[in-house]
Amino acid sequence: MRYSIPLCGLLASVALASDVHELKKDTFKAFVEEHDLVLAEFFAPWCGHCKALAPEYETAATTLKEKDIPLAKIDCTEEQDLCQQYGVEGYPTLKVFRGPDNISPYTGQRKADAIISYMTKQNLPAVSDITKDTIDEFKTADKVVLVAYFAADDKASNETFTAVANGLRDSYLFGATNDAALAKAEGVEQPGLVLYKSFDDGKDVFTEKFDKEAIETFAKVSSVPLVGEVGPETYSSYMAAGIPLAYIFAETQEERDTLAKELKPLAQKHKGVINFATIDAKAFGQHAGNLNLEAGKFPAFAIQRTDKNQKYPYDQEKKITEKEIGEFVDDFIAGKVEPSVKSEPIPEEQEGPVTVVVAKNYEDVVINNDKDVLLEFYAPWCGHCKALAPKYEELAAMYSSPELSKLVTVAKVDATANDVPDEIQGFPTIKLFPAGKKDSPIDYSGSRTIEDLAQFIKENGSHKVEAAVAEQPEVREETGEEMPEQAPAASAVSEKAEEATESVKSAASEATEAVKGTDDTADVHDEL
């Protein structure tokens, strides 16, 4: 018994051991100068997303320590000057340092595997030299690896492949070899390219002309599983793929596996045209409602045209079979299926200065006119949207005169109740549609103050309208991360919140918010 206290102390010290370096203003510069590559997290202790990231960050730090890639963190509540110096506006902010002056944003997902993969790529040259002794290890160094095989004097192929690697190095590992014998052993003719992967058949061979655009398309298509899984870690990549996504909703893993096997021939047939993926209907069932399916009625199938955010739900009374779904997909590709449009009724009259937009009047109010239109995409349960509402009303009132209302419209749309052309990643999202440039809306990323919003309209609108701003009392500006006592910040797609300025993801609903309660660190599974 006399050893119990020292032993407890020893165990506590082991439990608290961390491979993440906590830096301060007086240690930061020397640390990044000492190491060739550093990933730094700027955080706040109260931030829910930071708390969610912490165990993932620790795991990644331990693995990357073996590769001599240190991970660091800076508490911005204690090191405000340091965080301000590096332009930190929300939490967590992650930056990659190659010395104190060579800085780039971390654009990967906030999971340990993703952090490890991303930083491993950052630690390698854009294209690694491959030999017969290293190829086996390199092929399995990441989930997706591209290896080019071309002759030493083939400068054109070398330059093309290097250009692709420089553009996509954050996403994939690239290697190249001039060894003709190695190419032959791999069954490749020079110039050739193979994408090795840890899923499906293990590799895809590039068979087209050695062209930059063709290689980029090949990489993006072949790096996606034939039938993948939609979740917080994969959703954003599916949205960015540029092709429609077919969802297979099912409540159990066994059922998802069965349906994936059933529809795999369709995924193979339409590879590069439509992505197929299963989705956990128990965890993310509310997302079915966003696709205009009846939530709770599973299994279910729907196609989303991601570039236009159009939804094509499959009749939930029908069975999901290769034959039936095959006919539906063929009709979709042929343009024979009309998109389903969810819309609230058009308001009989507009009450108040903010114009209410619904799906049925979206084109008229936002697109088909000669006005500068500022549009807020909101969710009724979003805490930031509620905080913005009174200021947004005041902003709209500034343009309500007969003269200015002909030039500027300040509007809002409930993006949970109305289908809108864009896939909204978080709430509130604010876009300006300038007159004459409606096809190029401008995202607003500034402070949510009346003054800044009015200045944004003046600077970016086609009419350059200047409206008088009433003097406002000084208030604390939002960081984009809600405090613990406020409505919870929810997960965005790629991670549960890909940007610190996002408080919620569009896949959520009022029912989801009720599940969350009031804890901003809650892990809400109904959101992507």
Side-chain angles (χ1 to χ4, degrees), residues 21-34 42 73-75 78-83 85-86 100:
H21 303 266
E22 187 156 1
L23 303 179
K24 299 185 179 296
K25 186 176 182 179
D26 58 352
T27 60
F28 184 85
K29 185 178 179 181
F31 187 85
V32 296
E33 286 177 339
E34 180 184 348
F42 298 86
K73 63 181 180 181
I74 300 92
D75 185 344
E78 295 182 358
E79 303 296 329
Q80 296 179 16
D81 290 344
L82 183 59
C83 295
Q85 177 184 343
Y86 289 105

Side-chain angles (χ1 to χ4, degrees), residues 500-518:
T501 54
E502 295 175 356
S503 61
V504 284
K505 175 70 188 77
S506 59
S509 67
E510 290 183 0
T512 303
E513 190 68 3
V515 173
K516 289 167 66 180
T518 57

Side-chain angles (χ1 to χ4, degrees), residues 45-154:
W46 48 260
C47 160
H49 295 313
C50 303
K51 294 174 184 176
L53 172 62
E56 303 288 342
Y57 203 65
E58 288 284 352
T59 300
T62 300
T63 300
L64 290 171
K65 180 181 179 181
E66 300 172 2
K67 302 182 179 184
D68 197 26
I69 305 174
L71 269 58
K73 63 181 180 181
I74 300 92
D75 185 344
C76 289
T77 63
E78 295 182 358
E79 303 296 329
Q80 296 179 16
D81 290 344
L82 183 59
C83 295
Q84 186 175 7
Q85 177 184 343
Y86 289 105
V88 176
E89 296 180 348
Y91 310 119
T93 291
L94 290 94
K95 293 180 181 286
V96 178
F97 286 80
R98 289 182 171 85
D101 300 318
N102 187 351
I103 310 160
S104 60
Y106 170 83
T107 57
Q109 298 167 354
R110 296 178 192 163
K111 293 292 183 181
D113 288 348
I115 295 170
I116 294 165
S117 175
Y118 188 93
M119 294 307 294
T120 299
K121 296 182 186 77
Q122 296 297 311
N123 200 38
L124 294 172
V127 180
S128 299
D129 290 327
I130 305 301
T131 68
K132 63 178 182 178
D133 296 324
T134 62
I135 188 167
D136 288 337
E137 181 180 357
F138 189 80
K139 286 192 298 187
T140 58
D142 205 2
K143 291 182 179 179
V144 174
V145 173
L146 289 98
V147 177
Y149 301 83
F150 44 75
D153 59 355
D154 187 352

Side-chain angles (χ1 to χ4, degrees), residues 295-317:
K297 193 172 184 178
F298 303 115
F301 182 88
I303 299 174
Q304 180 183 14
R305 191 181 292 278
T306 57
D307 57 343
K308 298 180 180 179
N309 196 28
Q310 293 176 332
K311 294 83 178 275
Y312 301 80
Y314 179 71
D315 188 345
Q316 288 172 270
E317 298 298 327

Side-chain angles (χ1 to χ4, degrees), residues 178-231:
N178 305 138
D179 189 336
L182 185 55
K184 185 177 180 180
E186 291 293 317
V188 181
E189 290 186 10
Q190 296 177 321
L193 174 64
V194 179
L195 183 145
Y196 300 96
K197 49 190 175 181
S198 60
F199 47 87
D200 292 344
D201 296 329
K203 70 177 185 178
D204 276 356
V205 179
F206 180 71
T207 57
E208 299 180 42
K209 182 180 178 182
F210 220 79
D211 172 78
K212 181 175 182 291
E213 187 174 333
I215 294 173
E216 289 174 342
T217 301
F218 166 74
K220 290 177 181 178
V221 170
S222 298
S223 62
V224 177
L226 280 177
V227 182
E229 178 92 11
V230 177

